[in-house]
Amino acid sequence: MAENKEDIKDLSLAELTARIKSLNEPPYRAEQVFEWIYKKGGRSFGVMTDLPAKLRDYLTNKFFVTGSEIIKKQVSKSDGTRKYLFKLSDGEEVEGVYIPAKDPAGGGTGRHTVCLSSQAGCAFGCYFCASGLLGFKRDLRCGEILDQALAIQDDIGVAKGPVGPKGPAGPKRITNVVMMGTGEPLANYDNVVKAIGIMNSPLGLGIGARKITVSTAGYIPGMKRFMQEKEQFELSVSLHAADDIKRSRLMPINKKYPLAELMEFCREYTKGKGRIITFEYILIKDVNSSPTDAQNLAKLLKGLNCKVNLIPFNAVSDFKFRQPSFKDVKIFQEVLEKAGIKSTLRAEKGVDIDAACGQLRLREAKIAQVKHENFS
Ligand code: SF4
């Protein structure tokens, strides 16, 4: 990576347009550059042959296009899930995941979801999360977030398709994005919102706002800012327990923003935005998955425009937490259903690879033994 050069992916279309206009070039040149990078798989300025040579030289001298490098990839034989470990320019490592699925409506080329990281490491230290174990390193730049998406899109094949008027005709384009990898996205607000804005832009990755989900551990200052965004991005909140004692032990952020405050804001958010919130709930054996836990959850969410995504804990060998039985999971779900709370049970993906968040990076850091006492 060239020193003293900027990552062109750190610039929004408006920012790039301003730079290009200052060179007395017409604003549509910025749109051409965007299309090359985000639609046509252009990974150097040399391929952008419809730009004047002088502008290509300027861009080459000032910016770089390629960024993080895939240093490890695991592909699930059972369902095609791909897990990536990326190395950033300063040596930090982050993870991204590609999850293929059939289109629920049938037809089409299927759903191609990517799960992206927003920070190198995480300061929030949730008790069940491998990402938090190595501590917080730094925020990712906008371009580093987009790099993960572009590298995955290249890897699943789209950039290798023939280039048509609307970009490559390859069958696999990213259709859905979840900001649910390493880090708290709303604690790196400006970079994350700029990156998802470029993903959403028709000249960027062209992914509908409702197909882009930002997941938070319940960081209320960031949620308040996110409520002001005009695009209809989706918000999901990691809950994982329905009482303060349990949640504070699982998620230390709960001590700062306890459930009463969090739920009050969630109600305000759903009313103000007219949108539902998805609550993520990891089910952990003997911790938060009893029928009483389900009843507490139903009480907490009563009357709220929401749905619950139930996720059986994906056992990480460094942790002592275990997954509840399928029967216990179904009982939990039935309690919610009887109370009128909508829920979905997330199908396990990539069971034969290190699919849980943070596992791949943790392995790479060669942490053989992590002290993890029983949660009791
Ligand atoms: S679950 Fe999210 S917020 Fe909590 S430690 Fe892991 S990455 Fe951070």
Side-chain angles (χ1 to χ4, degrees):
M1 191 141 321
E3 279 171 28
N4 304 322
K5 287 192 185 183
E6 279 181 77
D7 186 348
I8 195 147
K9 292 175 264 63
D10 280 342
L11 301 187
S12 66
L13 184 61
E15 289 166 337
L16 183 60
T17 303
R19 297 279 189 101
I20 283 186
K21 270 168 81 178
S22 72
L23 303 171
N24 292 324
E25 289 285 349
Y28 72 83
R29 295 290 185 207
E31 296 181 359
Q32 287 177 295
V33 174
F34 246 60
E35 280 200 299
W36 269 111
I37 295 170
Y38 298 110
K39 289 206 169 308
K40 299 181 184 175
R43 300 292 174 259
S44 78
F45 297 110
V47 299
M48 303 180 189
T49 46
D50 50 355
L51 300 180
K54 208 172 127 206
L55 180 57
R56 285 205 304 268
D57 288 347
Y58 166 82
L59 293 170
T60 306
N61 289 330
K62 292 274 180 203
F63 298 100
F64 60 87
V65 185
T66 49
S68 45
E69 170 201 353
I70 297 172
I71 53 168
K72 197 163 185 177
K73 181 170 99 175
Q74 294 180 336
V75 182
S76 166
K77 288 195 180 76
S78 57
D79 58 31
T81 296
R82 297 184 190 193
K83 181 125 196 189
Y84 302 86
L85 188 65
F86 298 101
K87 189 171 210 150
L88 309 180
S89 55
D90 61 357
E92 290 299 339
E93 292 170 0
V94 294
E95 294 184 10
V97 185
Y98 163 64
I99 306 145
K102 285 198 181 111
D103 201 324
T109 58
R111 205 163 48 182
H112 305 285
T113 303
V114 292
C115 173
L116 307 177
S117 293
S118 56
Q119 297 178 314
C122 184
F124 284 61
C126 300
Y127 206 75
F128 49 82
C129 172
S131 293
L133 288 176
L134 298 174
F136 175 72
K137 303 290 180 186
R138 67 172 175 85
D139 286 334
L140 298 196
R141 290 183 286 99
C142 167
E144 289 172 326
I145 297 166
L146 290 163
D147 273 337
Q148 298 167 59
L150 292 176
I152 295 174
Q153 190 154 269
D154 285 355
D155 190 60
I156 62 176
V158 65
K160 295 178 183 73
V163 178
K166 290 186 179 166
K172 291 177 185 168
R173 298 191 68 80
I174 294 171
T175 57
N176 298 63
V177 175
V178 288
M179 294 303 306
M180 213 179 269
T182 305
E184 163 55 53
L186 296 181
N188 181 17
Y189 195 90
D190 293 337
N191 287 308
V192 167
V193 168
K194 193 195 275 189
I196 61 175
I198 292 172
M199 291 177 207
N200 175 233
S201 162
L203 291 165
L205 293 178
I207 302 165
R210 292 179 183 201
K211 308 274 183 196
I212 299 175
T213 302
V214 171
S215 175
T216 178
Y219 181 60
I220 294 178
M223 293 167 77
K224 285 185 173 163
R225 285 184 73 187
F226 198 62
M227 190 176 166
Q228 306 308 319
E229 297 298 331
K230 63 178 188 327
E231 289 83 7
Q232 298 289 305
F233 298 124
E234 297 290 337
L235 179 67
S236 89
V237 177
S238 298
L239 212 49
H240 309 323
D243 67 80
D244 276 323
I245 295 174
K246 242 175 226 190
R247 191 167 188 269
S248 292
R249 297 190 69 187
L250 285 171
M251 305 180 73
I253 189 178
N254 192 70
K255 291 177 196 152
K256 190 149 191 200
Y257 305 109
L259 277 170
E261 199 182 329
L262 178 62
M263 298 319 293
E264 190 188 332
F265 180 73
C266 287
R267 285 175 199 281
E268 196 184 318
Y269 184 95
T270 53
K271 280 193 194 129
K273 293 285 271 188
R275 308 276 308 143
I276 73 158
I277 289 183
T278 301
F279 291 100
E280 309 292 336
Y281 195 104
I282 295 179
L283 290 159
I284 309 169
K285 184 176 162 60
D286 299 329
V287 173
N288 64 354
S289 53
S290 71
T292 309
D293 290 311
Q295 279 158 6
N296 288 341
L297 182 60
K299 255 187 243 159
L300 191 73
L301 302 182
K302 196 164 181 257
L304 186 58
N305 188 12
C306 70
K307 72 170 192 224
V308 180
N309 197 9
L310 296 170
I311 311 153
F313 182 69
N314 189 335
V316 179
S317 59
D318 309 284
F319 288 77
K320 287 187 177 169
F321 285 158
R322 290 292 164 254
Q323 194 175 92
S325 67
F326 185 68
K327 189 174 154 224
D328 287 346
V329 170
K330 290 309 279 182
I331 292 171
F332 194 98
Q333 193 173 24
E334 274 165 30
V335 172
L336 293 184
E337 262 167 37
K338 274 191 195 138
I341 307 289
K342 277 183 244 156
S343 68
T344 49
L345 186 55
R346 191 192 287 177
E348 274 197 273
K349 291 284 185 181
V351 283
D352 54 335
I353 58 174
D354 293 326
C357 179
Q359 268 176 289
L360 201 58
R361 182 165 165 263
L362 196 62
R363 299 234 177 294
E364 206 59 15
K366 295 184 178 59
I367 290 190
Q369 193 76 47
V370 176
K371 200 165 183 277
H372 194 255
E373 300 302 328
N374 271 327
F375 187 87
S376 55

PDB file of all heavy atoms in Angstrom, residues 345-365:
ATOM      1  N   LEU A 345     -36.127 -18.859  14.299  1.00  0.00           N
ATOM      2  CA  LEU A 345     -35.013 -19.645  14.826  1.00  0.00           C
ATOM      3  C   LEU A 345     -33.947 -19.657  13.754  1.00  0.00           C
ATOM      4  O   LEU A 345     -34.175 -20.135  12.641  1.00  0.00           O
ATOM      5  CB  LEU A 345     -35.517 -21.064  15.118  1.00  0.00           C
ATOM      6  CG  LEU A 345     -34.567 -22.022  15.804  1.00  0.00           C
ATOM      7  CD1 LEU A 345     -34.048 -21.454  17.108  1.00  0.00           C
ATOM      8  CD2 LEU A 345     -35.281 -23.346  16.059  1.00  0.00           C
ATOM      9  N   ARG A 346     -32.801 -19.064  14.059  1.00  0.00           N
ATOM     10  CA  ARG A 346     -31.770 -18.960  13.023  1.00  0.00           C
ATOM     11  C   ARG A 346     -31.152 -20.332  12.755  1.00  0.00           C
ATOM     12  O   ARG A 346     -30.689 -21.001  13.689  1.00  0.00           O
ATOM     13  CB  ARG A 346     -30.682 -17.976  13.442  1.00  0.00           C
ATOM     14  CG  ARG A 346     -29.758 -17.661  12.267  1.00  0.00           C
ATOM     15  CD  ARG A 346     -28.528 -16.938  12.680  1.00  0.00           C
ATOM     16  NE  ARG A 346     -28.772 -15.558  13.027  1.00  0.00           N
ATOM     17  CZ  ARG A 346     -27.810 -14.748  13.481  1.00  0.00           C
ATOM     18  NH1 ARG A 346     -26.581 -15.193  13.627  1.00  0.00           N
ATOM     19  NH2 ARG A 346     -28.073 -13.514  13.797  1.00  0.00           N
ATOM     20  N   ALA A 347     -31.180 -20.722  11.475  1.00  0.00           N
ATOM     21  CA  ALA A 347     -30.561 -22.000  11.107  1.00  0.00           C
ATOM     22  C   ALA A 347     -29.059 -21.885  11.312  1.00  0.00           C
ATOM     23  O   ALA A 347     -28.465 -20.857  11.010  1.00  0.00           O
ATOM     24  CB  ALA A 347     -30.869 -22.305   9.643  1.00  0.00           C
ATOM     25  N   GLU A 348     -28.466 -22.920  11.847  1.00  0.00           N
ATOM     26  CA  GLU A 348     -27.016 -22.894  12.041  1.00  0.00           C
ATOM     27  C   GLU A 348     -26.319 -22.931  10.695  1.00  0.00           C
ATOM     28  O   GLU A 348     -26.672 -23.712   9.824  1.00  0.00           O
ATOM     29  CB  GLU A 348     -26.581 -24.095  12.869  1.00  0.00           C
ATOM     30  CG  GLU A 348     -26.690 -23.831  14.355  1.00  0.00           C
ATOM     31  CD  GLU A 348     -25.898 -24.843  15.125  1.00  0.00           C
ATOM     32  OE1 GLU A 348     -26.456 -25.897  15.422  1.00  0.00           O
ATOM     33  OE2 GLU A 348     -24.725 -24.570  15.405  1.00  0.00           O
ATOM     34  N   LYS A 349     -25.333 -22.064  10.559  1.00  0.00           N
ATOM     35  CA  LYS A 349     -24.594 -22.011   9.300  1.00  0.00           C
ATOM     36  C   LYS A 349     -23.131 -22.322   9.570  1.00  0.00           C
ATOM     37  O   LYS A 349     -22.591 -21.949  10.606  1.00  0.00           O
ATOM     38  CB  LYS A 349     -24.691 -20.603   8.694  1.00  0.00           C
ATOM     39  CG  LYS A 349     -26.085 -20.266   8.191  1.00  0.00           C
ATOM     40  CD  LYS A 349     -26.350 -20.954   6.894  1.00  0.00           C
ATOM     41  CE  LYS A 349     -27.683 -20.539   6.297  1.00  0.00           C
ATOM     42  NZ  LYS A 349     -27.944 -21.222   5.037  1.00  0.00           N
ATOM     43  N   GLY A 350     -22.509 -22.961   8.605  1.00  0.00           N
ATOM     44  CA  GLY A 350     -21.077 -23.197   8.691  1.00  0.00           C
ATOM     45  C   GLY A 350     -20.660 -23.982   9.923  1.00  0.00           C
ATOM     46  O   GLY A 350     -19.675 -23.642  10.574  1.00  0.00           O
ATOM     47  N   VAL A 351     -21.433 -25.052  10.270  1.00  0.00           N
ATOM     48  CA  VAL A 351     -21.113 -25.798  11.497  1.00  0.00           C
ATOM     49  C   VAL A 351     -19.748 -26.487  11.414  1.00  0.00           C
ATOM     50  O   VAL A 351     -19.147 -26.784  12.434  1.00  0.00           O
ATOM     51  CB  VAL A 351     -22.196 -26.857  11.839  1.00  0.00           C
ATOM     52  CG1 VAL A 351     -23.422 -26.221  12.442  1.00  0.00           C
ATOM     53  CG2 VAL A 351     -22.559 -27.689  10.630  1.00  0.00           C
ATOM     54  N   ASP A 352     -19.257 -26.731  10.189  1.00  0.00           N
ATOM     55  CA  ASP A 352     -17.977 -27.427  10.055  1.00  0.00           C
ATOM     56  C   ASP A 352     -16.795 -26.462   9.945  1.00  0.00           C
ATOM     57  O   ASP A 352     -15.667 -26.871   9.727  1.00  0.00           O
ATOM     58  CB  ASP A 352     -18.020 -28.369   8.833  1.00  0.00           C
ATOM     59  CG  ASP A 352     -18.424 -27.645   7.546  1.00  0.00           C
ATOM     60  OD1 ASP A 352     -19.107 -26.610   7.645  1.00  0.00           O
ATOM     61  OD2 ASP A 352     -18.042 -28.101   6.468  1.00  0.00           O
ATOM     62  N   ILE A 353     -17.047 -25.140  10.072  1.00  0.00           N
ATOM     63  CA  ILE A 353     -15.935 -24.174  10.071  1.00  0.00           C
ATOM     64  C   ILE A 353     -16.041 -23.328  11.346  1.00  0.00           C
ATOM     65  O   ILE A 353     -17.008 -23.445  12.088  1.00  0.00           O
ATOM     66  CB  ILE A 353     -15.935 -23.259   8.812  1.00  0.00           C
ATOM     67  CG1 ILE A 353     -17.255 -22.486   8.705  1.00  0.00           C
ATOM     68  CG2 ILE A 353     -15.686 -24.071   7.559  1.00  0.00           C
ATOM     69  CD1 ILE A 353     -17.277 -21.458   7.579  1.00  0.00           C
ATOM     70  N   ASP A 354     -15.047 -22.454  11.571  1.00  0.00           N
ATOM     71  CA  ASP A 354     -15.073 -21.594  12.768  1.00  0.00           C
ATOM     72  C   ASP A 354     -16.057 -20.459  12.533  1.00  0.00           C
ATOM     73  O   ASP A 354     -15.668 -19.308  12.333  1.00  0.00           O
ATOM     74  CB  ASP A 354     -13.679 -20.999  13.017  1.00  0.00           C
ATOM     75  CG  ASP A 354     -12.674 -22.059  13.404  1.00  0.00           C
ATOM     76  OD1 ASP A 354     -13.068 -23.021  14.080  1.00  0.00           O
ATOM     77  OD2 ASP A 354     -11.494 -21.911  13.043  1.00  0.00           O
ATOM     78  N   ALA A 355     -17.362 -20.786  12.567  1.00  0.00           N
ATOM     79  CA  ALA A 355     -18.331 -19.792  12.100  1.00  0.00           C
ATOM     80  C   ALA A 355     -18.730 -18.750  13.138  1.00  0.00           C
ATOM     81  O   ALA A 355     -19.219 -17.702  12.787  1.00  0.00           O
ATOM     82  CB  ALA A 355     -19.584 -20.497  11.585  1.00  0.00           C
ATOM     83  N   ALA A 356     -18.534 -19.027  14.415  1.00  0.00           N
ATOM     84  CA  ALA A 356     -18.961 -18.032  15.403  1.00  0.00           C
ATOM     85  C   ALA A 356     -18.043 -16.814  15.338  1.00  0.00           C
ATOM     86  O   ALA A 356     -16.852 -16.929  15.064  1.00  0.00           O
ATOM     87  CB  ALA A 356     -18.933 -18.626  16.804  1.00  0.00           C
ATOM     88  N   CYS A 357     -18.654 -15.639  15.597  1.00  0.00           N
ATOM     89  CA  CYS A 357     -17.943 -14.374  15.474  1.00  0.00           C
ATOM     90  C   CYS A 357     -16.657 -14.384  16.292  1.00  0.00           C
ATOM     91  O   CYS A 357     -16.658 -14.654  17.482  1.00  0.00           O
ATOM     92  CB  CYS A 357     -18.867 -13.266  15.962  1.00  0.00           C
ATOM     93  SG  CYS A 357     -18.114 -11.668  15.890  1.00  0.00           S
ATOM     94  N   GLY A 358     -15.543 -14.081  15.649  1.00  0.00           N
ATOM     95  CA  GLY A 358     -14.282 -13.925  16.364  1.00  0.00           C
ATOM     96  C   GLY A 358     -13.440 -15.180  16.448  1.00  0.00           C
ATOM     97  O   GLY A 358     -12.270 -15.122  16.811  1.00  0.00           O
ATOM     98  N   GLN A 359     -14.021 -16.333  16.098  1.00  0.00           N
ATOM     99  CA  GLN A 359     -13.270 -17.588  16.291  1.00  0.00           C
ATOM    100  C   GLN A 359     -12.005 -17.657  15.447  1.00  0.00           C
ATOM    101  O   GLN A 359     -10.970 -18.105  15.903  1.00  0.00           O
ATOM    102  CB  GLN A 359     -14.150 -18.780  15.921  1.00  0.00           C
ATOM    103  CG  GLN A 359     -14.910 -19.340  17.094  1.00  0.00           C
ATOM    104  CD  GLN A 359     -15.830 -20.437  16.627  1.00  0.00           C
ATOM    105  OE1 GLN A 359     -16.824 -20.179  15.972  1.00  0.00           O
ATOM    106  NE2 GLN A 359     -15.489 -21.662  16.943  1.00  0.00           N
ATOM    107  N   LEU A 360     -12.145 -17.227  14.175  1.00  0.00           N
ATOM    108  CA  LEU A 360     -11.027 -17.372  13.250  1.00  0.00           C
ATOM    109  C   LEU A 360      -9.857 -16.486  13.692  1.00  0.00           C
ATOM    110  O   LEU A 360      -8.711 -16.918  13.717  1.00  0.00           O
ATOM    111  CB  LEU A 360     -11.497 -16.959  11.843  1.00  0.00           C
ATOM    112  CG  LEU A 360     -10.701 -17.464  10.669  1.00  0.00           C
ATOM    113  CD1 LEU A 360     -10.646 -18.972  10.672  1.00  0.00           C
ATOM    114  CD2 LEU A 360     -11.360 -16.995   9.372  1.00  0.00           C
ATOM    115  N   ARG A 361     -10.197 -15.251  14.088  1.00  0.00           N
ATOM    116  CA  ARG A 361      -9.166 -14.312  14.519  1.00  0.00           C
ATOM    117  C   ARG A 361      -8.517 -14.814  15.810  1.00  0.00           C
ATOM    118  O   ARG A 361      -7.314 -14.709  16.008  1.00  0.00           O
ATOM    119  CB  ARG A 361      -9.816 -12.937  14.722  1.00  0.00           C
ATOM    120  CG  ARG A 361      -8.848 -11.860  15.129  1.00  0.00           C
ATOM    121  CD  ARG A 361      -9.505 -10.485  14.939  1.00  0.00           C
ATOM    122  NE  ARG A 361      -8.742  -9.474  15.655  1.00  0.00           N
ATOM    123  CZ  ARG A 361      -9.066  -9.042  16.857  1.00  0.00           C
ATOM    124  NH1 ARG A 361     -10.119  -9.531  17.484  1.00  0.00           N
ATOM    125  NH2 ARG A 361      -8.328  -8.132  17.449  1.00  0.00           N
ATOM    126  N   LEU A 362      -9.337 -15.385  16.670  1.00  0.00           N
ATOM    127  CA  LEU A 362      -8.831 -15.902  17.937  1.00  0.00           C
ATOM    128  C   LEU A 362      -7.847 -17.041  17.691  1.00  0.00           C
ATOM    129  O   LEU A 362      -6.779 -17.114  18.286  1.00  0.00           O
ATOM    130  CB  LEU A 362     -10.029 -16.401  18.753  1.00  0.00           C
ATOM    131  CG  LEU A 362      -9.832 -16.636  20.239  1.00  0.00           C
ATOM    132  CD1 LEU A 362      -9.454 -15.328  20.922  1.00  0.00           C
ATOM    133  CD2 LEU A 362     -11.127 -17.158  20.853  1.00  0.00           C
ATOM    134  N   ARG A 363      -8.212 -17.924  16.768  1.00  0.00           N
ATOM    135  CA  ARG A 363      -7.323 -19.048  16.450  1.00  0.00           C
ATOM    136  C   ARG A 363      -5.994 -18.530  15.897  1.00  0.00           C
ATOM    137  O   ARG A 363      -4.939 -19.009  16.234  1.00  0.00           O
ATOM    138  CB  ARG A 363      -7.933 -19.941  15.376  1.00  0.00           C
ATOM    139  CG  ARG A 363      -9.205 -20.543  15.743  1.00  0.00           C
ATOM    140  CD  ARG A 363      -9.223 -22.057  15.600  1.00  0.00           C
ATOM    141  NE  ARG A 363     -10.501 -22.547  16.062  1.00  0.00           N
ATOM    142  CZ  ARG A 363     -10.918 -22.481  17.313  1.00  0.00           C
ATOM    143  NH1 ARG A 363     -10.143 -21.976  18.249  1.00  0.00           N
ATOM    144  NH2 ARG A 363     -12.102 -22.921  17.660  1.00  0.00           N
ATOM    145  N   GLU A 364      -6.125 -17.527  14.995  1.00  0.00           N
ATOM    146  CA  GLU A 364      -4.933 -16.986  14.356  1.00  0.00           C
ATOM    147  C   GLU A 364      -4.010 -16.365  15.401  1.00  0.00           C
ATOM    148  O   GLU A 364      -2.803 -16.395  15.286  1.00  0.00           O
ATOM    149  CB  GLU A 364      -5.353 -15.940  13.306  1.00  0.00           C
ATOM    150  CG  GLU A 364      -4.400 -15.727  12.178  1.00  0.00           C
ATOM    151  CD  GLU A 364      -4.103 -16.961  11.352  1.00  0.00           C
ATOM    152  OE1 GLU A 364      -4.835 -17.960  11.446  1.00  0.00           O
ATOM    153  OE2 GLU A 364      -3.078 -16.927  10.634  1.00  0.00           O
ATOM    154  N   ALA A 365      -4.592 -15.792  16.447  1.00  0.00           N
ATOM    155  CA  ALA A 365      -3.785 -15.179  17.498  1.00  0.00           C
ATOM    156  C   ALA A 365      -3.187 -16.244  18.416  1.00  0.00           C
ATOM    157  O   ALA A 365      -2.467 -15.930  19.352  1.00  0.00           O
ATOM    158  CB  ALA A 365      -4.635 -14.212  18.315  1.00  0.00           C
TER     159      ALA A 365
END
